[in-house]
């Protein structure tokens, strides 16, 4: 380090402390103003029962005890974990592959990106009925295609063992955001590095392995962390399409929380389930950050 | 190895975010005509209920049709309704004195769901109401049907339910049991108001308007289920159209004849879930847990008649006779009936399916010729009947204008409102008489059908499909395992004799769990 | 950790800029492009099926919505569905309301998330790690259980039926996803960029605004798109907050075609198609930044 650099660094360090907070203020102030109260309320609700009508009543640990005896909670946790641990890796792989392919400067790439992105922004009311129509046992497009290929038609959303795989299949149509995030991340890889690597005689694979991949690790890390968090909160598809069926095969945790809260009016118990979900997600996230320290490359030291 | 600083040229891209956003906004805005001034919110915290002009305010500048008993110069006082001396309902004034002028000026917040014909009907009815009672202003709010009740519950939590809301017949019991609704008996008695509960529809209307012997809601419309069939498949197969005296055996026979697997034609279309077939369960054995108007405590599905009915109507027709495609399972978004495509010949459904077959105003050139018939008679000879999705109007106890709200719900359940609603919405009015007067001629003319009376006659044996009293119906269907049981029967063909006793136990446990922790 | 990354010394590859090499590179690119189209085109078609179904259905009469075998081109193309869709609900009002919410929220979110992300990634201050942890944590609790407490809070301060609860929380504390995304992106940018400016005595504001943001084109575009779409399609929260039909958004309007026992799918699809048009345009515009990023971003000097 040059001495000039050190000096600049020192001068800057004085302001840095203050600027750090100032720049973070939108979040910090917003969190204090808008998040603290609802969050604290929902924590308190774990120990209360509240039907939205009468004032909340203290029930001690009853909600937590009930949690461990409730078969619906177990079922929904299993469904959610199944969906997450099969779905998230698949999403990442497909999204990354697509992003790499569509990072090319070829004709029509814009149209491709749009084609892959659009399904994820189709309003859920519309996409629910589309998928129902695609997966319908007798009149569905997918079974029509199967029949042409000589595969026997499947009962997709009517067969509990097939419903979750069908959901994971459907969720591939909503990887658009992940693909876009990867695409944005790929732009951060300076072209000069590729050129340098190329001049050094690196093969395409080597360039990917030693240039693209390391510099993309923050983005990959982001997509894993956020992907798991989001996947644990999967809700809309089953809410719109199956209502949790058949035979509770698509009863995911947030859907069960939703029913317990808004249908059964047990907001205390719903909060208890939600906070268990929170702890599970938090556990996985902490693990991600712990493992991430070994493989995520950051330009700045954190 | 220091890098040169980025080129200054780049700084213009600093505005990237903003300009992108602006262009996006411009795009969206470009799609819309200039906004009305109401679009922008007040940046300063506005009062909880912004006092704005009511959407449906009559504000008549001329005196009402009746000579006004009360000298009111300007009949639109916008003062808040909260008169602390809101006439206590416990002390009725003159009995049967229904003098409009006796009602204090008030503003009422009325909520229904936002399906266009229902909004239009409400607006028209409110305009008529404003002529009758200019001192009462009705503010119409409409919420999307999806998650209507979630929003309602949130508003209750906030302490500001509407004065009057639309409700499905099975949805208000939860609130009534918890004291959120006004019992209407005294006002009924005071005004001698019993017309919208005709004696012949007692079995239908009592469970959806009463809880523990008290009336909490006034009927606005009813919906019955009957069999809707397409004429074309019958004509092609040379089968005579069904008549109201047909039996289940004849029905099954016809369906088998109309079913052609190779062409994916089905004689019948099974709807998903339990309610469409509930009529047959009831026909076989009258009493169900939701019959007790007080509250359900005992699961009663475990009866041979019910199991037999479900075996035929939820298992065999799908898996043995194969006369129906898989029932579509769209939960929240409503679902689509295949019968519109002509791939199924018949469906047990409500009159809401008419516009699906012919287009909203029966103007679609591709529309299908159809007619309707009573449900077939089961072997027991008892007429199966379910009337579902009855629309009723409860008055919320938080209302500061109960009397005004009462006048409104009365008005909506009588002529001329009951005559106004059917042609606009297609929904059935409450009484048999009004059905024959206003609904039957209208749908027969609009859709070219001849037997619309099937939908009216079936009301007489009608019962609702599920009422939980203080229990939310969703709790019974999900935690009680009803939906799961129908998944097993309809979806997988498991025998009813195996599924239903199991389900009955689960339902009993859910009921027990509920009552064990229930406090009022 | 940086040792894992190969490209530590970007030997400026100006030699590769001769006209001859450009030709060679173009030739090299041809072959993979053909492959790209071969693989991606069928996939893009498959991904487009739901959207094509939306458009196809939007032009059908109601009786043909579920026809089998699927009829991509309706027998009678009904443009009147579009007219009906925008006249059955006050579409113009809803559109302008939505535009207002989307524009304001997106602007605020882009600004705030890039500020906070910058602070978390590039500035050193005490509490930074905690604030970052809080950012991640706020994503983990399903909103189902905080929605009612939040409603009560906004009710108490008189914000119900205004747009403030739709805009302010989501563009500050609710922007956790975007803050995290921005932070990841900032961490990947070369450290040297800031150094020079610091030595020159530039303030953090100047560095953020003049050095950092210009390098963030792709990720700012990503955040802008995601935010805009979130507000565009958000249903539950606006439903809870807004009461006056005059204040409704398009997403609420779309749900108004769902009647209690049946849905008017042809109208839903027509309205969905209309709603998708501005998004497609937005996405095409935003893509310029993804592509341009390759040329201008990072160290690729000019």
């Amino acid at each position: 380090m040059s001495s000039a650099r050190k000096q600049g660094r020192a001068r800057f360090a004085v302001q840095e402390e203050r600027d750090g907070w100032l720049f973070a203020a939108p979040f910090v102030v917003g969190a204090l103003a808008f998040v603290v109260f609802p969050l604290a309320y929902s924590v308190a609700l774990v120990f209360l029962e509240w039907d939205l009508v009468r004032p909340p009543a203290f029930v001690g640990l009853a909600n937590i005890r009930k949690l461990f005896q409730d078969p619906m909670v177990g079922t929904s946790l299993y469904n959610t974990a199944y969906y997450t641990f099969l779905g998230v890796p698949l999403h990442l792989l497909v999204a990354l592959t697509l992003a790499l392919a569509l990072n090319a400067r070829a004709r029509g790439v814009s149209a491709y990106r749009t084609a892959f992105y659009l399904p994820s922004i189709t309003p859920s009311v519309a996409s629910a009925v589309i998928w129902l129509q695609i997966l319908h046992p007798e009149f569905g497009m997918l079974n029509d295609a199967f029949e042409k290929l000589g595969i026997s038609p499947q009962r997709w959303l009517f067969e509990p063992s097939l419903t979750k795989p069908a959901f994971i299949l459907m969720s591939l149509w909503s990887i658009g955001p992940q693909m876009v995030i990867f695409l944005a991340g790929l732009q951060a890889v300076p072209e000069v590095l590729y050129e340098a690597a190329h001049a050094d005689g690196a093969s395409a694979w080597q360039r990917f392995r030693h240039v693209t991949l390391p510099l993309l690790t923050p983005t990959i890390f982001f997509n894993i962390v956020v992907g798991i968090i989001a996947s644990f909160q999967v809700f809309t598809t089953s809410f719109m399409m199956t209502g949790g069926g058949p035979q509770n095969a698509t009863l995911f945790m947030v859907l069960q929380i939703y029913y317990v809260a808004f249908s059964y009016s047990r907001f205390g118990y719903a909060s208890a389930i939600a906070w268990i979900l929170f702890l599970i997600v938090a556990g996985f996230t902490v693990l991600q950050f712990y493992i991430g320290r070994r493989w995520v490359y950051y330009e700045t030291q954190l | 190895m220091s890098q040169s600083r980025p080129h200054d040229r780049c700084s213009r891209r600093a505005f990237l975010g903003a300009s992108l956003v602006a262009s996006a906004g411009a795009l969206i805005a470009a799609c819309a005509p200039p906004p009305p001034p109401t679009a922008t919110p007040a940046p300063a915290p506005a009062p909880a209920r912004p006092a704005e002009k009511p959407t449906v305010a009559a504000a008549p500048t001329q005196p009402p049709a009746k000579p006004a008993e009360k000298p009111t110069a300007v009949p639109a006082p916008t003062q808040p309704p909260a008169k602390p001396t809101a006439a206590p309902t416990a002390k009725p004034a003159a009995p049967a004195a229904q003098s409009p002028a006796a009602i204090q000026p008030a503003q009422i917040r009325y909520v229904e769901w936002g399906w266009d014909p229902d909004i239009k009907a409400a607006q028209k009815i409110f305009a008529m109401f404003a002529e009758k009672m200019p001192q009462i202003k009705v503010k119409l709010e409409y919420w999307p049907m999806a998650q209507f009740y979630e929003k309602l519950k949130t508003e209750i939590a906030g302490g500001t339910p509407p004065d009057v809301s639309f409700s499905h017949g099975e949805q208000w019991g939860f609130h009534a049991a918890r004291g959120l609704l006004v019992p209407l008996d005294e006002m009924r008695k005071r005004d001698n108001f019993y017309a919208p509960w005709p004696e012949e529809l007692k079995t239908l209307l009592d469970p959806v308007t009463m809880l523990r012997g008290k009336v909490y809601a006034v009927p606005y419309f009813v919906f019955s289920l009957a069999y809707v069939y397409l004429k074309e498949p019958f004509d092609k197969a040379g089968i005579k159209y069904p008549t109201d005296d047909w039996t289940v055996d004849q029905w099954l026979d016809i369906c088998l004849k109309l079913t052609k697997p190779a062409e994916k034609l089905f004689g019948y279309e099974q709807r998903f879930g339990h309610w469409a077939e509930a009529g047959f369960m009831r026909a076989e054995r009258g009493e169900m847990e939701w019959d007790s108007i007080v509250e359900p405590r005992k699961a009663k599905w475990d009866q041979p008649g019910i199991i037999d009915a479900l075996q035929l109507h939820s298992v065999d027709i799908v898996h043995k006779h194969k006369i129906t495609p898989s029932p579509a399972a769209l939960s929240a978004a409503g679902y689509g009936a295949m019968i519109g495509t002509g791939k199924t010949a018949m469906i047990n459904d409500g009159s809401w399916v008419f516009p699906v077959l012919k287009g909203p105003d029966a103007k679609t050139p591709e529309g299908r010729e159809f007619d309707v018939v009573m449900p077939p008679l089961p072997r027991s000879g008892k007429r199966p009947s379910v009337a579902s999705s009855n629309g009723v109007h409860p008055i919320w106890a938080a209302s500061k204008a109960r009397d005004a709200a009462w006048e409104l719900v009365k008005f909506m359940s009588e002529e001329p409102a009951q005559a106004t609603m059917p042609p606009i919405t297609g929904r059935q009015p409450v009484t048999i008489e009004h059905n024959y007067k206003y609904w039957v001629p209208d749908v027969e003319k609009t859709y070219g059908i001849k037997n619309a009376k099937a939908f009216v006659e079936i009301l007489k044996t009608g019962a609702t499909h599920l009422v939980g009293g203080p229990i939310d119906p969703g709790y019974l269907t999900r935690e009680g395992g009803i939906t799961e049981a129908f998944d097993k029967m309809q979806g997988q063909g498991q025998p009813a004799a195996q599924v239903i006793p199991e389900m009955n136990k689960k339902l009993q446990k859910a009921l027990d769990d509920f009552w064990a922790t229930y406090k009022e | 950790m940086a040792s894992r990354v190969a490209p530590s010394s970007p030997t400026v590859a100006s030699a590769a800029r001769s006209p001859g090499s450009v030709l060679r590179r173009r030739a090299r690119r041809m072959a993979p492009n053909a492959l790209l189209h071969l693989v991606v085109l069928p996939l893009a078609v498959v991904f487009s099926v739901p959207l094509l179904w939306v458009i196809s259905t939007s032009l059908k009469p109601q009786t043909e919505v579920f026809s089998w075998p699927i009829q991509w081109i309706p027998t009678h193309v009904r443009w009147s569905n579009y007219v009906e869709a925008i006249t059955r609900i006050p579409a113009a009002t809803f559109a302008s309301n939505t535009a207002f919410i989307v524009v304001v929220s997106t602007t605020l979110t882009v600004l705030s998330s890039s500020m906070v992300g910058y602070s978390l990634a590039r500035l050193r201050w005490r509490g930074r790690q905690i604030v970052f942890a809080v950012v991640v944590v706020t994503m983990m609790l399903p909103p189902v259980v905080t929605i009612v407490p939040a409603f009560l809070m906004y009710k108490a301060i008189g914000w119900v039926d205004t747009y403030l609860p739709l805009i302010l929380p989501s563009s500050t504390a609710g922007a956790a996803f975007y803050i995290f995304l921005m932070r990841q992106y900032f961490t990947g940018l070369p450290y040297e960029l800031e150094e020079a400016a610091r030595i020159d005595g530039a303030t953090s504001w100047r560095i953020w605004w003049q050095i950092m943001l210009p390098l963030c084109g792709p990720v700012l575009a990503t955040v802008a798109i995601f935010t805009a779409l979130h507000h565009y399609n958000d249903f539950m929260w606006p439903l809870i907050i807004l009461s006056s039909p005059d204040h409704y958004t398009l997403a609420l309007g779309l749900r108004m075609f769902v009647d209690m026992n049946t849905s008017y799918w042809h109208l839903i699809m027509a309205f969905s198609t209309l709603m998708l048009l501005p998004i497609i345009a937005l996405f095409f515009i935003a893509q310029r930044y993804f592509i341009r990023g390759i040329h201008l971003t990072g160290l690729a000097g000019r």
Side-chain angles (χ1 to χ4, degrees), chain A residues 118-129:
Chain A
L118 279 181
S120 66
I121 53 171
T122 309
S124 54
V125 186
S127 59
V129 70

Side-chain angles (χ1 to χ4, degrees), chain B residues 237-516:
Chain B
I239 300 171
K240 271 193 284 177
Y241 302 139
T243 46
D244 286 342
D245 57 354
W246 64 333
T247 65
V248 164
D249 293 320
Q250 289 167 335
W251 160 73
L252 192 58
D253 188 52
I254 291 174
C255 289
L256 284 166
K257 281 183 187 150
L258 293 175
T259 301
K260 300 197 172 67
E263 297 160 57
K264 295 211 179 182
L265 290 173
F266 294 90
Y268 184 66
E269 180 174 353
Q270 165 92 294
R271 296 306 283 273
F272 180 75
H274 69 285
W275 55 268
E277 313 308 324
F280 290 98
M281 293 161 56
R282 301 192 57 97
E284 294 299 339
R285 176 65 206 241
E287 188 183 300
M288 293 299 290
E289 56 267 24
W290 50 82
D291 276 351
S292 80
I293 291 169
V294 182
E295 54 215 19
R297 287 186 187 266
K298 189 163 171 11
K300 293 177 182 172
W301 289 62
D302 198 1
Q303 303 173 56
I306 290 175
I307 290 173
D308 288 349
L310 290 176
Q311 179 65 33
L312 174 62
H313 292 282
S314 291
V315 185
D316 288 349
I317 63 165
V318 189
H319 296 275
K320 186 174 153 199
H321 306 305
K322 299 189 196 303
I323 56 170
T324 169
S326 303
L330 241 187
S331 70
Y335 34 70
M338 290 301 301
I339 192 166
T341 68
K343 288 286 160 188
T344 60
M346 216 186 300
I347 192 166
N348 180 15
D349 216 339
S351 57
W352 52 75
V353 80
F354 297 175
V356 174
L357 296 172
K358 282 228 169 163
D361 308 309
K363 281 182 191 148
T364 316
E366 305 83 359
R368 300 186 182 279
E369 293 302 315
F370 68 95
D371 213 322
V372 301
V373 63
M374 298 265 263
L377 273 171
R379 285 182 198 126
S380 67
K382 281 172 85 177
R383 180 67 72 187
S385 170
V386 163
S388 174
S389 303
N390 302 285
V392 300
H393 286 137
I395 298 174
W396 292 81
S399 169
K400 296 208 170 72
R402 286 184 188 188
D403 285 330
W406 170 243
E407 293 303 324
L408 181 70
V409 298
K410 276 198 301 185
F411 186 81
M412 292 182 84
S413 70
E414 288 186 307
E415 287 177 303
Q418 290 284 303
T420 308
M421 181 251 311
I424 304 178
T425 65
R427 308 200 192 284
Q428 291 177 248
V430 177
T431 65
I432 301 281
E433 186 203 339
H434 288 167
N435 265 285
Y436 277 119
K437 223 161 137 189
Y438 304 119
W439 186 77
V440 169
D442 179 64
V443 291
E444 290 194 340
K445 183 162 159 271
T446 308
Y447 298 105
I449 57 177
K450 295 204 170 66
N451 198 28
K453 71 174 193 325
F455 274 93
V456 184
E457 289 303 312
I458 198 69
L459 285 169
K460 293 178 183 170
T461 48
T464 191
H465 68 292
L466 185 63
V467 172
I471 312 176
D472 187 280
Y475 176 81
L476 295 177
T477 52
R478 280 185 291 267
E479 300 285 313
I482 297 177
T483 307
E484 196 186 346
F486 277 80
D487 287 346
K488 286 178 181 167
M489 294 188 296
Q490 292 179 325
Q492 296 199 297
Q494 293 184 23
Q498 177 196 322
V499 173
I500 292 301
E502 222 175 89
M503 184 222 95
N504 203 58
K505 277 184 210 137
K506 202 168 176 183
L507 181 60
Q508 187 61 57
K509 187 177 179 302
L511 288 171
D512 292 344
D513 283 355
F514 177 85
W515 292 112

Side-chain angles (χ1 to χ4, degrees), chain A residues 54 138 239 241 247 258, chain B residues 150 264 329 331 487 492 519:
Chain A
R54 293 170 290 236
E138 285 88 20
F239 179 67
M241 291 182 65
Q247 296 175 47
Y258 183 87
Chain B
E150 287 83 341
K264 295 211 179 182
S331 70
D487 287 346
Q492 296 199 297
K519 284 191 286 282

Side-chain angles (χ1 to χ4, degrees), chain A residues 50-54 66 70 72 125 128-129 132-133 136-139 144 147 155 158-160 235 238-243 245-248 256 258-266, chain B residues 147 150 153-154 156-157 174-175 178 180 264 266 272 319 325-333 338 343 472 474-475 478-479 484 487-488 490-492 494 506 513-514 517-520:
Chain A
W50 188 36
D51 60 5
L52 298 189
V53 174
R54 293 170 290 236
K66 183 172 162 53
D70 188 345
M72 297 294 241
V125 186
V129 70
L132 202 84
Q133 189 61 7
H136 194 282
E138 285 88 20
F139 301 109
D144 282 357
E147 262 174 287
R155 292 178 59 76
F158 293 86
E159 174 59 47
F235 169 74
S238 59
F239 179 67
M240 299 298 291
M241 291 182 65
T242 57
Q247 296 175 47
N248 298 326
Q256 175 66 5
Y258 183 87
Y259 286 148
V260 171
F262 281 100
S263 174
Y264 318 157
S265 293
R266 290 184 180 168
Chain B
Q147 283 137 299
E150 287 83 341
K153 285 185 177 179
T154 311
I156 292 164
F174 175 92
H175 304 295
R178 289 159 178 83
L180 289 180
K264 295 211 179 182
F266 294 90
F272 180 75
H319 296 275
S326 303
L330 241 187
S331 70
M338 290 301 301
K343 288 286 160 188
D472 187 280
Y475 176 81
R478 280 185 291 267
E479 300 285 313
E484 196 186 346
D487 287 346
K488 286 178 181 167
Q490 292 179 325
Q492 296 199 297
Q494 293 184 23
K506 202 168 176 183
D513 283 355
F514 177 85
T517 53
Y518 182 68
K519 284 191 286 282
E520 282 190 11

